[in-house]
Amino acid sequence: MSVYPDNLHYTKDHEWIRVEGDTGTVGITHFAQEQLGDVVHVQLPRAGEKFDAHATFGEVESVKTFSELFTPVSGEIVAANDALADTPELVNSEPYGGGWMIKLKLGDPSEVDKLLSASEYEDYLESQKED
Amino acid sequence: MIDFGGWDMPVQYTAGTIEEHMTVRTRVGLFDVSHMGEIEIRGPQALNLVQHVTTNDASKLADGQAQYSGLTYPEGTFVDDILVHRFADDHYFLCVNASNADKDFAWIASHAGEFDCEASNVSANYSQIAVQGPQALATLQPLTDVSLADIKYYWFTRGHVDGVPALIARTGYTGEDGFEIYFDPHESERIWDKLLAQGQSFNILPCGLAARNTLRLEAKMALYGHEIDDTTTVLEADLAWICKLNKGDFIGRDKLVAQKAAGLTRKLVGFEVLDKGIARDHYPVFIGDEQVGYVTSGSPAPFLKKNIGMAYLPLAHTAVGSQFDIDVRGRRLKAQVVPTPFYKRSK
C-alpha cells in the first residue's frame, strides 16, 4: 500500500478520511504515526457524539508524546475502533487499516471537497520540511 | 533527529522505542553516547581535588574502579552527576553529562588551583558507545583482548576493542548488565558497525535517546535537568548513598550536614499512576488542592507496562503507598508512591 493512498482525503493536522456513501472512516497518517512513535493509548468518543469540522474528538498518546485528534469534517460518531484499547500499536503498523479510529455519519458531504488529496498532502509535508 | 545539547542525536532508530527498550531488557542494545563529556584530573593531589568537588568518597576507589558521584555547589545542589574512574592515585577520569561538560570543567578548574594537580577537558578525545543488556558481554567479548567476565560491576580496565585502545567499563544507564567503552573518535563508526555485526546473532538493535530515557527511568536513575539540578540537593534527590558526609570536607558539605540534621522538607519518590493515563515531565503534582511539586520524569514504562514517574513530594507524603494527584492536562489522576527502583534485573 502507498504511504498516502489515493482513495483517501487528508488534513494538515495529519488525519485521513475514507468516504463510503454518507459515512467516513477517520485515522491518522503514516507521517503522524511516525512522528508520534510507539502509540500506547488512544482516547476515542462514543457513538452518538456529534462534532463540528476540525473539532477535537480524542487523543493519541505515544511513549514520548501525545497529540489531539481532529475531525476532518463534521458529523456524528457511528463507531469507534474498540480494538485500539488493547492493541493501540495498530495505529503504527496499519495506520489506514486496523488502526482506524472513528466512523462518522457525514454532516455535510461537501466538506470533503475542501480536504487535501494524497498528492496535495505529500506536497504539504514537503513544504513543511525546513531543515 | 533532535538537537540534544548541540548534538544531533536520534530519538529512535527504525525499530521504535518500545522494541529498542525491550531488546535491551532481554537481549542487547547499542547506544552512541559520544556526546558525554570526559574530564581528566592528574597530579600528586588529584584525589584531593576529586574529594573536594564531589560528594562520594573517592578515597575508597582502587585502581580500575569507578563510582557514581555528585559534583556540588556550596548549597549542596548539583553542578552535575558524574562517574569517577580511578586510573591511579594521581590520575582520575570523570564522565560527565554532555550539556554540562563545559560548565563542569570550568567549575572543577576554578578549584584546581588549590591543589597540586591539573584538570583537562578531554571530551573531544573520546567517543563513547554503550553496549547494554543480558547479551552485552557475549557481543563485546569477541572484539576485545580483555576478559570481560573478570570486570566486576563498576570496575573498568584498559584494553583494545577491535584493535583500538579503549577504556572498557562495566557501567551503564539502563539497569542492565553492560559495558561503556571510551576510545578515539576517529574509530567510532567502524567500532559501531563491528558491534552491530557481532550482535546480529542476538538480534541486537541500535537504540536512541527515547529508549535510553525509558530504560533509565525504570531503573530510577536520575537525569540532570529533570530529577537533579542546581536547585535540588543530593539528599533531596534520595542520593544519600553517594553523599559521604564523614569523608572530610567537600563543597556543599556544610549545607548537606545542616539539612540532614534539620530533616528534609521534600524528597524525590518514584510513583505509579493508578488511573488510566500518562503523567509526563513537568505535570503539576497536588495533595488535595495544593500544588506541592511537579513530575520530574514521567512516561509509560515499556517493560513494566505501567505508567510511572518521579516527583518531589513533601516529606510527610513520601512513604510507599502514599497517594497524591497529578494534573494531566486538566484531568486529576491518582498516583501512588511505590518502591524503587521500579525495575531491578535478576542477577
mmCIF file with all atom_site columns, all heavy atoms in Angstrom, chain B residues 234-251:
data_model
loop_
_atom_site.group_PDB
_atom_site.id
_atom_site.type_symbol
_atom_site.label_atom_id
_atom_site.label_alt_id
_atom_site.label_comp_id
_atom_site.label_asym_id
_atom_site.label_entity_id
_atom_site.label_seq_id
_atom_site.pdbx_PDB_ins_code
_atom_site.Cartn_x
_atom_site.Cartn_y
_atom_site.Cartn_z
_atom_site.occupancy
_atom_site.B_iso_or_equiv
_atom_site.pdbx_formal_charge
_atom_site.auth_seq_id
_atom_site.auth_comp_id
_atom_site.auth_asym_id
_atom_site.auth_atom_id
_atom_site.pdbx_PDB_model_num
ATOM 1   N N   . VAL B 1 234 ? 21.607 16.874 47.037 1.00 0.00 ? 234 VAL B N   1
ATOM 2   C CA  . VAL B 1 234 ? 21.892 15.450 46.890 1.00 0.00 ? 234 VAL B CA  1
ATOM 3   C C   . VAL B 1 234 ? 20.967 14.632 47.800 1.00 0.00 ? 234 VAL B C   1
ATOM 4   O O   . VAL B 1 234 ? 20.494 13.557 47.410 1.00 0.00 ? 234 VAL B O   1
ATOM 5   C CB  . VAL B 1 234 ? 23.368 15.167 47.229 1.00 0.00 ? 234 VAL B CB  1
ATOM 6   C CG1 . VAL B 1 234 ? 23.717 13.714 46.949 1.00 0.00 ? 234 VAL B CG1 1
ATOM 7   C CG2 . VAL B 1 234 ? 24.281 16.088 46.425 1.00 0.00 ? 234 VAL B CG2 1
ATOM 8   N N   . LEU B 1 235 ? 20.690 15.150 48.988 1.00 0.00 ? 235 LEU B N   1
ATOM 9   C CA  . LEU B 1 235 ? 19.840 14.413 49.929 1.00 0.00 ? 235 LEU B CA  1
ATOM 10  C C   . LEU B 1 235 ? 18.385 14.422 49.477 1.00 0.00 ? 235 LEU B C   1
ATOM 11  O O   . LEU B 1 235 ? 17.694 13.396 49.540 1.00 0.00 ? 235 LEU B O   1
ATOM 12  C CB  . LEU B 1 235 ? 19.962 15.008 51.330 1.00 0.00 ? 235 LEU B CB  1
ATOM 13  C CG  . LEU B 1 235 ? 21.362 14.925 51.950 1.00 0.00 ? 235 LEU B CG  1
ATOM 14  C CD1 . LEU B 1 235 ? 21.398 15.639 53.300 1.00 0.00 ? 235 LEU B CD1 1
ATOM 15  C CD2 . LEU B 1 235 ? 21.809 13.469 52.096 1.00 0.00 ? 235 LEU B CD2 1
ATOM 16  N N   . GLU B 1 236 ? 17.897 15.560 48.987 1.00 0.00 ? 236 GLU B N   1
ATOM 17  C CA  . GLU B 1 236 ? 16.521 15.632 48.492 1.00 0.00 ? 236 GLU B CA  1
ATOM 18  C C   . GLU B 1 236 ? 16.319 14.657 47.322 1.00 0.00 ? 236 GLU B C   1
ATOM 19  O O   . GLU B 1 236 ? 15.238 14.109 47.145 1.00 0.00 ? 236 GLU B O   1
ATOM 20  C CB  . GLU B 1 236 ? 16.201 17.058 48.018 1.00 0.00 ? 236 GLU B CB  1
ATOM 21  C CG  . GLU B 1 236 ? 16.061 18.055 49.159 1.00 0.00 ? 236 GLU B CG  1
ATOM 22  C CD  . GLU B 1 236 ? 15.985 19.494 48.656 1.00 0.00 ? 236 GLU B CD  1
ATOM 23  O OE1 . GLU B 1 236 ? 16.421 19.776 47.509 1.00 0.00 ? 236 GLU B OE1 1
ATOM 24  O OE2 . GLU B 1 236 ? 15.497 20.332 49.413 1.00 0.00 ? 236 GLU B OE2 1
ATOM 25  N N   . ALA B 1 237 ? 17.371 14.486 46.536 1.00 0.00 ? 237 ALA B N   1
ATOM 26  C CA  . ALA B 1 237 ? 17.282 13.618 45.350 1.00 0.00 ? 237 ALA B CA  1
ATOM 27  C C   . ALA B 1 237 ? 17.346 12.140 45.716 1.00 0.00 ? 237 ALA B C   1
ATOM 28  O O   . ALA B 1 237 ? 17.436 11.283 44.827 1.00 0.00 ? 237 ALA B O   1
ATOM 29  C CB  . ALA B 1 237 ? 18.385 13.976 44.359 1.00 0.00 ? 237 ALA B CB  1
ATOM 30  N N   . ASP B 1 238 ? 17.298 11.841 47.027 1.00 0.00 ? 238 ASP B N   1
ATOM 31  C CA  . ASP B 1 238 ? 17.322 10.459 47.508 1.00 0.00 ? 238 ASP B CA  1
ATOM 32  C C   . ASP B 1 238 ? 18.636 9.775  47.127 1.00 0.00 ? 238 ASP B C   1
ATOM 33  O O   . ASP B 1 238 ? 18.666 8.590  46.822 1.00 0.00 ? 238 ASP B O   1
ATOM 34  C CB  . ASP B 1 238 ? 16.117 9.680  46.947 1.00 0.00 ? 238 ASP B CB  1
ATOM 35  C CG  . ASP B 1 238 ? 15.832 8.410  47.745 1.00 0.00 ? 238 ASP B CG  1
ATOM 36  O OD1 . ASP B 1 238 ? 16.254 8.344  48.923 1.00 0.00 ? 238 ASP B OD1 1
ATOM 37  O OD2 . ASP B 1 238 ? 15.218 7.483  47.193 1.00 0.00 ? 238 ASP B OD2 1
ATOM 38  N N   . LEU B 1 239 ? 19.707 10.565 47.137 1.00 0.00 ? 239 LEU B N   1
ATOM 39  C CA  . LEU B 1 239 ? 21.015 10.029 46.769 1.00 0.00 ? 239 LEU B CA  1
ATOM 40  C C   . LEU B 1 239 ? 21.989 10.098 47.954 1.00 0.00 ? 239 LEU B C   1
ATOM 41  O O   . LEU B 1 239 ? 23.187 10.321 47.785 1.00 0.00 ? 239 LEU B O   1
ATOM 42  C CB  . LEU B 1 239 ? 21.578 10.794 45.564 1.00 0.00 ? 239 LEU B CB  1
ATOM 43  C CG  . LEU B 1 239 ? 20.834 10.547 44.246 1.00 0.00 ? 239 LEU B CG  1
ATOM 44  C CD1 . LEU B 1 239 ? 21.321 11.502 43.163 1.00 0.00 ? 239 LEU B CD1 1
ATOM 45  C CD2 . LEU B 1 239 ? 20.998 9.102  43.780 1.00 0.00 ? 239 LEU B CD2 1
ATOM 46  N N   . ALA B 1 240 ? 21.452 9.861  49.153 1.00 0.00 ? 240 ALA B N   1
ATOM 47  C CA  . ALA B 1 240 ? 22.308 9.875  50.344 1.00 0.00 ? 240 ALA B CA  1
ATOM 48  C C   . ALA B 1 240 ? 23.461 8.875  50.200 1.00 0.00 ? 240 ALA B C   1
ATOM 49  O O   . ALA B 1 240 ? 24.535 9.081  50.752 1.00 0.00 ? 240 ALA B O   1
ATOM 50  C CB  . ALA B 1 240 ? 21.477 9.558  51.592 1.00 0.00 ? 240 ALA B CB  1
ATOM 51  N N   . TRP B 1 241 ? 23.243 7.829  49.425 1.00 0.00 ? 241 TRP B N   1
ATOM 52  C CA  . TRP B 1 241 ? 24.279 6.790  49.276 1.00 0.00 ? 241 TRP B CA  1
ATOM 53  C C   . TRP B 1 241 ? 25.512 7.295  48.523 1.00 0.00 ? 241 TRP B C   1
ATOM 54  O O   . TRP B 1 241 ? 26.566 6.668  48.586 1.00 0.00 ? 241 TRP B O   1
ATOM 55  C CB  . TRP B 1 241 ? 23.710 5.539  48.621 1.00 0.00 ? 241 TRP B CB  1
ATOM 56  C CG  . TRP B 1 241 ? 23.241 5.700  47.200 1.00 0.00 ? 241 TRP B CG  1
ATOM 57  C CD1 . TRP B 1 241 ? 22.037 6.200  46.794 1.00 0.00 ? 241 TRP B CD1 1
ATOM 58  C CD2 . TRP B 1 241 ? 23.957 5.369  46.005 1.00 0.00 ? 241 TRP B CD2 1
ATOM 59  N NE1 . TRP B 1 241 ? 21.973 6.201  45.420 1.00 0.00 ? 241 TRP B NE1 1
ATOM 60  C CE2 . TRP B 1 241 ? 23.122 5.697  44.901 1.00 0.00 ? 241 TRP B CE2 1
ATOM 61  C CE3 . TRP B 1 241 ? 25.232 4.819  45.747 1.00 0.00 ? 241 TRP B CE3 1
ATOM 62  C CZ2 . TRP B 1 241 ? 23.517 5.506  43.576 1.00 0.00 ? 241 TRP B CZ2 1
ATOM 63  C CZ3 . TRP B 1 241 ? 25.614 4.621  44.416 1.00 0.00 ? 241 TRP B CZ3 1
ATOM 64  C CH2 . TRP B 1 241 ? 24.765 4.966  43.343 1.00 0.00 ? 241 TRP B CH2 1
ATOM 65  N N   . ILE B 1 242 ? 25.411 8.410  47.831 1.00 0.00 ? 242 ILE B N   1
ATOM 66  C CA  . ILE B 1 242 ? 26.618 8.984  47.218 1.00 0.00 ? 242 ILE B CA  1
ATOM 67  C C   . ILE B 1 242 ? 27.052 10.240 47.959 1.00 0.00 ? 242 ILE B C   1
ATOM 68  O O   . ILE B 1 242 ? 27.853 11.034 47.465 1.00 0.00 ? 242 ILE B O   1
ATOM 69  C CB  . ILE B 1 242 ? 26.439 9.306  45.714 1.00 0.00 ? 242 ILE B CB  1
ATOM 70  C CG1 . ILE B 1 242 ? 25.349 10.373 45.489 1.00 0.00 ? 242 ILE B CG1 1
ATOM 71  C CG2 . ILE B 1 242 ? 26.152 8.042  44.920 1.00 0.00 ? 242 ILE B CG2 1
ATOM 72  C CD1 . ILE B 1 242 ? 25.420 11.026 44.102 1.00 0.00 ? 242 ILE B CD1 1
ATOM 73  N N   . CYS B 1 243 ? 26.504 10.436 49.155 1.00 0.00 ? 243 CYS B N   1
ATOM 74  C CA  . CYS B 1 243 ? 26.784 11.661 49.909 1.00 0.00 ? 243 CYS B CA  1
ATOM 75  C C   . CYS B 1 243 ? 27.491 11.270 51.206 1.00 0.00 ? 243 CYS B C   1
ATOM 76  O O   . CYS B 1 243 ? 26.850 11.028 52.225 1.00 0.00 ? 243 CYS B O   1
ATOM 77  C CB  . CYS B 1 243 ? 25.469 12.372 50.196 1.00 0.00 ? 243 CYS B CB  1
ATOM 78  S SG  . CYS B 1 243 ? 25.685 14.032 50.799 1.00 0.00 ? 243 CYS B SG  1
ATOM 79  N N   . LYS B 1 244 ? 28.833 11.188 51.160 1.00 0.00 ? 244 LYS B N   1
ATOM 80  C CA  . LYS B 1 244 ? 29.604 10.667 52.287 1.00 0.00 ? 244 LYS B CA  1
ATOM 81  C C   . LYS B 1 244 ? 30.050 11.829 53.174 1.00 0.00 ? 244 LYS B C   1
ATOM 82  O O   . LYS B 1 244 ? 31.148 12.372 53.026 1.00 0.00 ? 244 LYS B O   1
ATOM 83  C CB  . LYS B 1 244 ? 30.786 9.845  51.779 1.00 0.00 ? 244 LYS B CB  1
ATOM 84  C CG  . LYS B 1 244 ? 30.350 8.645  50.906 1.00 0.00 ? 244 LYS B CG  1
ATOM 85  C CD  . LYS B 1 244 ? 29.605 7.584  51.729 1.00 0.00 ? 244 LYS B CD  1
ATOM 86  C CE  . LYS B 1 244 ? 28.742 6.644  50.892 1.00 0.00 ? 244 LYS B CE  1
ATOM 87  N NZ  . LYS B 1 244 ? 29.424 5.902  49.855 1.00 0.00 ? 244 LYS B NZ  1
ATOM 88  N N   . LEU B 1 245 ? 29.152 12.192 54.095 1.00 0.00 ? 245 LEU B N   1
ATOM 89  C CA  . LEU B 1 245 ? 29.376 13.378 54.915 1.00 0.00 ? 245 LEU B CA  1
ATOM 90  C C   . LEU B 1 245 ? 30.572 13.229 55.853 1.00 0.00 ? 245 LEU B C   1
ATOM 91  O O   . LEU B 1 245 ? 31.113 14.218 56.337 1.00 0.00 ? 245 LEU B O   1
ATOM 92  C CB  . LEU B 1 245 ? 28.105 13.693 55.723 1.00 0.00 ? 245 LEU B CB  1
ATOM 93  C CG  . LEU B 1 245 ? 26.869 14.031 54.871 1.00 0.00 ? 245 LEU B CG  1
ATOM 94  C CD1 . LEU B 1 245 ? 25.623 14.137 55.741 1.00 0.00 ? 245 LEU B CD1 1
ATOM 95  C CD2 . LEU B 1 245 ? 27.089 15.321 54.083 1.00 0.00 ? 245 LEU B CD2 1
ATOM 96  N N   . ASN B 1 246 ? 30.989 11.984 56.104 1.00 0.00 ? 246 ASN B N   1
ATOM 97  C CA  . ASN B 1 246 ? 32.110 11.769 57.024 1.00 0.00 ? 246 ASN B CA  1
ATOM 98  C C   . ASN B 1 246 ? 33.452 11.595 56.330 1.00 0.00 ? 246 ASN B C   1
ATOM 99  O O   . ASN B 1 246 ? 34.452 11.256 56.968 1.00 0.00 ? 246 ASN B O   1
ATOM 100 C CB  . ASN B 1 246 ? 31.842 10.536 57.884 1.00 0.00 ? 246 ASN B CB  1
ATOM 101 C CG  . ASN B 1 246 ? 30.609 10.731 58.743 1.00 0.00 ? 246 ASN B CG  1
ATOM 102 O OD1 . ASN B 1 246 ? 30.350 11.838 59.224 1.00 0.00 ? 246 ASN B OD1 1
ATOM 103 N ND2 . ASN B 1 246 ? 29.823 9.673  58.910 1.00 0.00 ? 246 ASN B ND2 1
ATOM 104 N N   . LYS B 1 247 ? 33.506 11.835 55.027 1.00 0.00 ? 247 LYS B N   1
ATOM 105 C CA  . LYS B 1 247 ? 34.770 11.598 54.311 1.00 0.00 ? 247 LYS B CA  1
ATOM 106 C C   . LYS B 1 247 ? 35.757 12.738 54.505 1.00 0.00 ? 247 LYS B C   1
ATOM 107 O O   . LYS B 1 247 ? 36.906 12.648 54.091 1.00 0.00 ? 247 LYS B O   1
ATOM 108 C CB  . LYS B 1 247 ? 34.500 11.400 52.817 1.00 0.00 ? 247 LYS B CB  1
ATOM 109 C CG  . LYS B 1 247 ? 34.143 12.680 52.072 1.00 0.00 ? 247 LYS B CG  1
ATOM 110 C CD  . LYS B 1 247 ? 34.165 12.499 50.560 1.00 0.00 ? 247 LYS B CD  1
ATOM 111 C CE  . LYS B 1 247 ? 33.907 13.825 49.852 1.00 0.00 ? 247 LYS B CE  1
ATOM 112 N NZ  . LYS B 1 247 ? 34.083 13.755 48.411 1.00 0.00 ? 247 LYS B NZ  1
ATOM 113 N N   . GLY B 1 248 ? 35.323 13.844 55.106 1.00 0.00 ? 248 GLY B N   1
ATOM 114 C CA  . GLY B 1 248 ? 36.141 15.056 55.174 1.00 0.00 ? 248 GLY B CA  1
ATOM 115 C C   . GLY B 1 248 ? 35.417 16.154 54.435 1.00 0.00 ? 248 GLY B C   1
ATOM 116 O O   . GLY B 1 248 ? 34.331 15.929 53.893 1.00 0.00 ? 248 GLY B O   1
ATOM 117 N N   . ASP B 1 249 ? 36.012 17.334 54.423 1.00 0.00 ? 249 ASP B N   1
ATOM 118 C CA  . ASP B 1 249 ? 35.306 18.478 53.861 1.00 0.00 ? 249 ASP B CA  1
ATOM 119 C C   . ASP B 1 249 ? 35.174 18.358 52.344 1.00 0.00 ? 249 ASP B C   1
ATOM 120 O O   . ASP B 1 249 ? 36.037 17.795 51.673 1.00 0.00 ? 249 ASP B O   1
ATOM 121 C CB  . ASP B 1 249 ? 36.022 19.778 54.215 1.00 0.00 ? 249 ASP B CB  1
ATOM 122 C CG  . ASP B 1 249 ? 35.102 20.969 54.000 1.00 0.00 ? 249 ASP B CG  1
ATOM 123 O OD1 . ASP B 1 249 ? 33.878 20.806 54.047 1.00 0.00 ? 249 ASP B OD1 1
ATOM 124 O OD2 . ASP B 1 249 ? 35.638 22.077 53.770 1.00 0.00 ? 249 ASP B OD2 1
ATOM 125 N N   . PHE B 1 250 ? 34.075 18.849 51.828 1.00 0.00 ? 250 PHE B N   1
ATOM 126 C CA  . PHE B 1 250 ? 33.900 18.980 50.373 1.00 0.00 ? 250 PHE B CA  1
ATOM 127 C C   . PHE B 1 250 ? 32.898 20.094 50.118 1.00 0.00 ? 250 PHE B C   1
ATOM 128 O O   . PHE B 1 250 ? 32.178 20.513 51.034 1.00 0.00 ? 250 PHE B O   1
ATOM 129 C CB  . PHE B 1 250 ? 33.452 17.654 49.740 1.00 0.00 ? 250 PHE B CB  1
ATOM 130 C CG  . PHE B 1 250 ? 32.118 17.132 50.209 1.00 0.00 ? 250 PHE B CG  1
ATOM 131 C CD1 . PHE B 1 250 ? 30.931 17.509 49.576 1.00 0.00 ? 250 PHE B CD1 1
ATOM 132 C CD2 . PHE B 1 250 ? 32.043 16.245 51.292 1.00 0.00 ? 250 PHE B CD2 1
ATOM 133 C CE1 . PHE B 1 250 ? 29.714 17.014 50.010 1.00 0.00 ? 250 PHE B CE1 1
ATOM 134 C CE2 . PHE B 1 250 ? 30.810 15.755 51.720 1.00 0.00 ? 250 PHE B CE2 1
ATOM 135 C CZ  . PHE B 1 250 ? 29.639 16.138 51.087 1.00 0.00 ? 250 PHE B CZ  1
ATOM 136 N N   . ILE B 1 251 ? 32.859 20.567 48.905 1.00 0.00 ? 251 ILE B N   1
ATOM 137 C CA  . ILE B 1 251 ? 31.977 21.692 48.579 1.00 0.00 ? 251 ILE B CA  1
ATOM 138 C C   . ILE B 1 251 ? 30.519 21.281 48.775 1.00 0.00 ? 251 ILE B C   1
ATOM 139 O O   . ILE B 1 251 ? 30.071 20.301 48.174 1.00 0.00 ? 251 ILE B O   1
ATOM 140 C CB  . ILE B 1 251 ? 32.207 22.161 47.123 1.00 0.00 ? 251 ILE B CB  1
ATOM 141 C CG1 . ILE B 1 251 ? 33.630 22.674 46.953 1.00 0.00 ? 251 ILE B CG1 1
ATOM 142 C CG2 . ILE B 1 251 ? 31.198 23.263 46.755 1.00 0.00 ? 251 ILE B CG2 1
ATOM 143 C CD1 . ILE B 1 251 ? 34.017 22.975 45.516 1.00 0.00 ? 251 ILE B CD1 1
#
